[in-house]
Amino acid sequence: MVKAVQERKLAHDHFRIEKTYDFAPAIVFAAWADVKAKAQWWGGPDGWKDEHKLDFRIGGREWQRTTSPDGESYTFNGEYHDIVPDTRIVYSYTMDDNDRRLSASIASIEFNGAGSKTTLVIDETDIFFDGKGESDDRDGGTRMLLESLEKFLRTKT
């Protein structure tokens, strides 16, 4: 019997999202920085179980496992490289599907604005391993999180 050989290749992707919120930069930034606030909006869809740890500081780590009702789990494991309050966050992370490494990424979040509005700009570069992961899913998942952030801000402020 011939054993199938797994193709070992990388796929690269980049996306940029801009979204404006009707809240001051300090309020939007706080939703990313505070562990209790972030736990309320950062996670999987309704019905999924989330485990989350956040050490929000330069050199700090963030870890999250999200598990679907049928037992499929995704793990985010990140590190913060630069944090300027109310201005920007730069971090890198890996993403796993159960025990398979899907990708490695680097991302920046900019909080542009003054007064009562903030334009959030996320710029992310992803490397997907061996045909795992879909770039459209990463962009779409990030957009879903930003919608969840908006709902959180509207209900909590």
Side-chain angles (χ1 to χ4, degrees), residues 7-68:
E7 189 173 349
R8 306 295 292 195
K9 64 179 185 173
L10 299 175
H12 300 230
D13 194 42
H14 173 263
F15 66 88
R16 179 182 177 97
I17 300 171
E18 293 187 25
K19 181 166 177 58
T20 300
Y21 296 93
D22 291 329
F23 301 93
I27 293 170
V28 180
F29 184 88
W32 290 84
D34 181 81
V35 65
K36 289 179 183 176
K38 194 167 186 185
Q40 293 182 51
W41 65 270
W42 176 270
D46 289 340
W48 290 46
K49 178 184 172 193
D50 292 314
E51 302 169 71
H52 186 238
K53 297 176 187 174
L54 174 63
D55 177 15
F56 189 76
R57 62 182 174 83
I58 295 174
R61 313 255 339 148
E62 182 170 14
W63 178 89
Q64 179 189 29
R65 177 170 292 132
T66 302
T67 306
S68 72

Side-chain angles (χ1 to χ4, degrees), residues 103-115:
S103 62
S105 306
I106 188 160
S108 63
I109 306 169
E110 296 174 84
F111 302 81
N112 299 320

